[in-house]
Structure formats: C-alpha cells, structure tokens
Amino acid sequence: MDFSDPHIPIDEMYAYTEYDENDDKATYSSGRTLATSITRYRYENGRRYHAFRDGEYYQPNDAQHSSYELIVHHLWLLTLEDKLFVAPLQNPKRILDIGTGTGLWAADIADFFPEAEVTGTDLSPTQVTGAPYNVRFEIDDCCSEWTYPENSFDFVHMRGLTGSIGDWGYLYEQAFKHIQPGGYLEHLEFGIYTSASPDSNNPADVLYRRLSDLICEAGDKMGKEFRVAERIADRMRRAGFVDVVEKKFIWPIGPWSSDTKLKEIGRWNQRNWEEGLEGWVMALYTRMLGWSGTDVRDFVEDMKKVVRDRSQHFWHEVRVVYGRKPA
C-alpha cells in the first residue's frame, strides 16, 4: 500500500493500556550466521566502528548493530509486501548492492535470481556467512570512482545511505555510468523528520524535532547530508535516469494505528527506534557536537520513553524511488 495520504487511523484502545516492554516484542531471524572474522575496527564509547576509510560512516558495525539491521530489513519487507524491489526487472544478470551492510538484501536477491551475479559492497566486512553461491561481498567505498566496467549492471540497489554520502550527484552519476542501457537504479531511504497525528501531545514533538535537528547539524559539520529521501527523484532525473517512479510510505512509531498493516509496521518500527537510536547518534553527537558518551546515553533513554509513550502517535515517511537508464 502506498500511503500518500498521511492520515493514519488510530487504535483508541492502545492509548489506554499500560506499556509493557514485552507487549510488542516479536522475533525475526534470517536463519543465517553473521560473520565474526573482523580484524580491523575502531572502539569508541562502547561501540565498534569500521576501520577502512575510518570516520566516513557514522553508525557502528558491531553485533548489536547487526541485530538492528535484521529489524530494518524486515521492516522494508513488511512495507513492500515481501518484495525485494519494485522496479520492473526482467531476468537481471548482474546486480550491485551499494552499502550492503550485513548483506541480507544481497543474499535474498541472489536467492530470488539464482542465475544473476550479485555483488554487495560496504566499508565493513560484516556480511552474512553461508550466502548463496552467486553473491560476492567486497570492501569498497561507493563515494570513490567505481572500478567496474561501464554499462555492466542490470540493477543497482541502494538502501539506508542517509548521512553517508558527501556528493550525491557524483554517486548517481557513477551509477548511471555503470548501469547498462535499459537497466534500473532503485534507492530506498527514510525521512529524518517525524510528524504527529493531531491528537499527540506537543512536548514530545519538541524532543523528536531536537533529535532530527541535532542529527542534521552534525551531518552539516561532517559534510554528509541527512535530508535525502525527498530529493532522490530529482537527483535521479538530473543524473539522466528516465521513467522515474517515486513511492511514499508511512512508518508509525509504535503499534498505535487501527490499520492492521500499519500496526504491524509500527510495532517493528518501535523496535527499530529502540534498537537503533544509540547507533544513530553516538558517533554524530560525540565527534561532531562535543557530547560525552554519558550525555548521549541519557538523551537516548529520554527518547526511548517518548517512543514507548502510548499517548504519542508519531510517524515518519520512507520513500522508494527507481529510474531507468535510457536505451
């Protein structure tokens, strides 16, 4: 369902029940073992970060973050109704997954297209083990010049790169250059700012907005943009892609909607926020804004209280955009 209309039906009973952190817990497992043979990393404030191109990416690469990536992957599957892509692909032979992380999407797309050659690139060597035979993981920086042959990929996939790229125009140009005529680029991102249903209390909005403002401030200082989702379509067109299609979806923060699908997405998105918050802001606030690790953890705990507050009905937008390289 494409939720272009931001009106979300509310489950009135949800707000009048006391919060229990076990209420909305669910489990999700890919059935794969995460790689543990990491030999180069940076420890900081109790979290582990990549060593290759140290400092270029702000989120950790430790086991806690790998578990968080499982949640995000499942959220996207829920949103897209178990689809791994929305572009009209037909038997792609070469697929590139930029910023593959633990490689869950790359492994799944390799299963879906067993005849395709799938490559996943990332700054960290934390990809799943036991991946299909037709997927290969490489340590690479997508912001550098790509070394693949031109016109070589049928499909390039990017997801969750907000705050990671210094020059988006150059990245799209590289993708356009290396996608073969008729091939597709698909890019999925989340909106950095939240919105609230009219019945939510204003004090919570202050904290949500402060979180987003500080993230954007830190991003400006390190030269990485966080307000990305709403600019994808225009940037694709400027790079030369045609037939650009943009789909907008809503992720409630918490299972407060009476809509069955949105309730399930909200349940998982609440876990997304609870599991991901510290990783989202720890390096940004300490490296760029001068906060201490203790200050960040106190802020995170305050945010989690708002995230769990059943009287608050907040949501944020996510977008899926794809475009075709003309023949």
Side-chain angles (χ1 to χ4, degrees):
M1 187 183 302
D2 187 342
F3 293 98
S4 300
D5 182 357
H7 174 72
I8 307 175
I10 294 171
D11 181 352
E12 299 293 348
M13 292 302 296
Y14 173 80
Y16 297 104
T17 56
E18 185 176 352
Y19 177 78
D20 182 336
E21 65 180 7
N22 294 314
D23 279 355
D24 300 325
K25 292 226 171 170
T27 59
Y28 174 74
S29 172
S30 69
R32 302 182 178 92
T33 304
L34 297 175
T36 57
S37 58
I38 307 298
T39 57
R40 299 183 61 195
Y41 35 75
R42 168 182 180 177
Y43 282 111
E44 193 174 81
N45 294 307
R47 303 303 299 267
R48 191 186 71 197
Y49 299 85
H50 68 95
F52 178 67
R53 303 288 170 87
D54 182 30
E56 288 298 314
Y57 185 56
Y58 63 98
Q59 292 199 55
N61 70 352
D62 48 25
Q64 181 178 342
H65 187 75
S66 295
S67 297
Y68 155 75
E69 283 201 30
L70 288 169
I71 297 170
V72 178
H73 186 57
H74 187 55
L75 255 175
W76 281 112
L77 289 175
L78 285 174
T79 303
L80 301 182
E81 298 179 343
D82 288 330
K83 296 182 178 69
L84 294 169
F85 57 90
V86 296
L89 299 183
Q90 293 185 353
N91 300 317
K93 300 303 181 186
R94 295 196 68 197
I95 298 172
L96 178 64
D97 184 28
I98 297 296
T100 194
T102 54
L104 294 173
W105 184 89
D108 283 350
I109 201 72
D111 273 335
F112 191 81
F113 291 116
E115 301 301 319
E117 176 187 317
V118 179
T119 302
T121 67
D122 201 89
L123 296 174
S124 293
T126 55
Q127 286 72 49
V128 292
T129 58
Y133 69 93
N134 56 325
V135 63
R136 180 180 72 253
F137 296 116
E138 299 176 349
I139 306 305
D140 198 8
D141 183 359
C142 66
C143 296
S144 300
E145 184 177 0
W146 295 11
T147 58
Y148 307 105
E150 295 184 18
N151 303 315
S152 58
F153 293 104
D154 301 287
F155 186 47
V156 173
H157 175 265
M158 303 190 298
R159 187 175 77 184
L161 299 184
T162 293
S164 308
I165 309 299
D167 187 343
W168 283 102
Y170 181 72
L171 180 62
Y172 285 127
E173 288 171 6
Q174 290 287 295
F176 186 85
K177 181 179 180 180
H178 292 86
I179 292 173
Q180 71 167 346
Y184 286 88
L185 169 65
E186 184 163 305
H187 190 179
L188 304 82
E189 295 292 343
F190 58 89
I192 197 67
Y193 280 91
T194 57
S195 300
S197 294
D199 63 330
S200 290
N201 295 329
N202 289 332
D205 185 57
V206 173
L207 198 55
Y208 274 113
R209 179 162 292 277
R210 183 170 183 239
L211 168 73
S212 301
D213 286 344
L214 289 172
I215 288 175
C216 289
E217 179 184 345
D220 290 342
K221 290 186 175 182
M222 69 176 184
K224 302 291 178 71
E225 184 181 353
F226 276 86
R227 298 200 72 170
V228 171
E230 57 267 48
R231 297 166 181 168
I232 295 174
D234 286 341
R235 285 172 170 164
M236 273 195 191
R237 294 186 183 99
R238 285 201 295 269
F241 290 96
V242 298
D243 300 333
V244 174
V245 175
E246 180 180 57
K247 294 181 178 292
K248 303 175 185 178
F249 302 90
I250 284 172
W251 284 2
I253 304 174
W256 49 263
S257 176
S258 60
D259 179 272
T260 303
K261 180 177 178 179
L262 288 179
K263 181 181 285 291
E264 182 70 0
I265 290 175
R267 178 178 290 111
W268 282 95
N269 195 30
Q270 180 173 315
R271 290 194 63 192
N272 173 44
W273 276 72
E274 291 180 331
E275 298 289 333
L277 259 170
E278 184 183 286
W280 298 345
V281 300
M282 180 60 79
L284 289 177
Y285 288 10
T286 56
R287 296 177 190 175
M288 299 294 120
L289 304 182
W291 289 35
S292 69
T294 300
D295 289 340
V296 173
R297 290 190 180 90
D298 289 343
F299 179 78
V300 168
E301 289 307 310
D302 288 340
M303 279 300 311
K304 285 183 179 180
K305 291 176 184 176
V306 173
V307 167
R308 294 166 177 163
D309 187 344
R310 290 175 178 263
S311 69
Q312 303 302 321
H313 303 149
F314 282 78
W315 53 274
H316 55 99
E317 185 182 74
V318 299
R319 301 196 188 195
V320 181
V321 187
Y322 67 83
R324 179 177 59 84
K325 180 174 178 177

